[in-house]
Amino acid sequence: MRAMTQAQATVTPLESRSRLSATDWELAALEAIAEQGVSGAAVEPLARRLGVTKGSFYWHFPTREALLKAALERWEGADEGDFLAGETIADPRERLRALFRLTGRDLPSHAVYSALLRALDHPIVQPVMSRVSQKRIDFLTATYTQLGLDPVAASFRARLTYAAYAGFLQLSLQLGLPRLSHAEFDEYVEHAMSTLIP
């Protein structure tokens, strides 16, 4: 094991944490959004969460809005990768089943999505949610078309499927309706697949 240099030995934990990257701030903002909504991504609470001063924030971002925009772009990119990963599955029916299973898992991305639905009047949130929703609906429409539905029916089925997803998240995450047990939730996902996948 290499011996630490004198400079490394004198760096305190707080000093090393003050060297956070922009990514650290973006991820902390997304965690705060998932827990508290968009208002949770404020500079001072995030600095406390990260154990640094606000000066660390301003090293990376000129404003809170710049952080929010960067964090949501990060979320959008990761979410798109997760959602569209099914494109590699050749069978459209299996692609939809994989997507239902993915969206049925308790992922941090779902909590962020649900929180963003409550902030659609925010000028930074609205365009991100519009893009995310359109990409998802386009993906679903294309997959339903590959299953043999005509373009109009495929579009309607895609919207219905997407509405079921958004509605389920709102019921469970925003309204706090009783959570399903694992067995009940698995049954629910199976029921949704048998109902929505022709």
Side-chain angles (χ1 to χ4, degrees):
M1 188 166 142
R2 245 180 3 162
M4 291 194 335
T5 67
Q6 181 64 28
Q8 290 171 321
T10 59
V11 172
T12 66
L14 182 59
E15 287 172 326
S16 64
R17 292 188 75 185
S18 68
R19 295 191 184 112
L20 295 174
S21 68
T23 298
D24 294 321
W25 282 94
E26 291 163 13
L27 294 175
L30 291 173
E31 288 175 10
I33 290 168
E35 295 166 7
Q36 305 161 18
V38 172
S39 63
V43 178
E44 287 189 34
L46 289 176
R48 282 193 300 274
R49 178 187 286 250
L50 292 167
V52 295
T53 65
K54 290 192 305 184
S56 171
F57 169 81
Y58 291 109
W59 181 260
H60 300 291
F61 300 99
T63 62
R64 175 190 180 262
E65 288 72 24
L67 167 64
L68 184 59
K69 185 174 186 296
L72 294 186
E73 287 173 355
R74 173 175 294 282
W75 171 78
E76 180 181 3
D79 182 76
E80 182 178 330
D82 289 341
F83 196 87
L84 301 182
E87 285 181 322
T88 60
I89 302 172
D91 182 334
R93 186 167 281 104
E94 286 308 310
R95 190 181 317 138
L96 285 171
R97 292 182 66 79
L99 183 60
F100 273 77
R101 288 189 195 99
L102 173 70
T103 58
R105 291 203 318 258
D106 191 14
L107 299 174
S109 182
H110 297 328
V112 173
Y113 176 90
S114 182
L116 294 178
L117 282 178
R118 291 180 302 174
L120 291 176
D121 58 342
H122 193 288
I124 294 174
V125 172
Q126 195 281 328
V128 171
M129 290 299 280
S130 290
R131 287 192 306 269
V132 166
S133 296
Q134 191 60 59
K135 287 175 192 171
R136 289 175 170 192
I137 290 171
D138 290 348
F139 175 78
L140 289 166
T141 301
T143 303
Y144 280 121
T145 302
Q146 291 174 356
L147 274 174
L149 273 64
D150 68 71
V152 173
S155 173
F156 290 167
R157 185 69 61 101
R159 287 177 179 271
L160 181 61
T161 300
Y162 194 61
Y165 164 73
F168 182 78
L169 288 183
Q170 291 301 87
L171 288 174
S172 60
L173 297 177
Q174 301 302 329
L175 298 177
L177 293 185
R179 295 183 70 89
L180 302 172
S181 70
H182 287 296
E184 290 170 328
F185 187 75
D186 289 344
E187 286 180 34
Y188 170 78
V189 172
E190 286 298 324
H191 176 75
M193 287 193 289
S194 65
T195 302
L196 295 168
I197 302 175

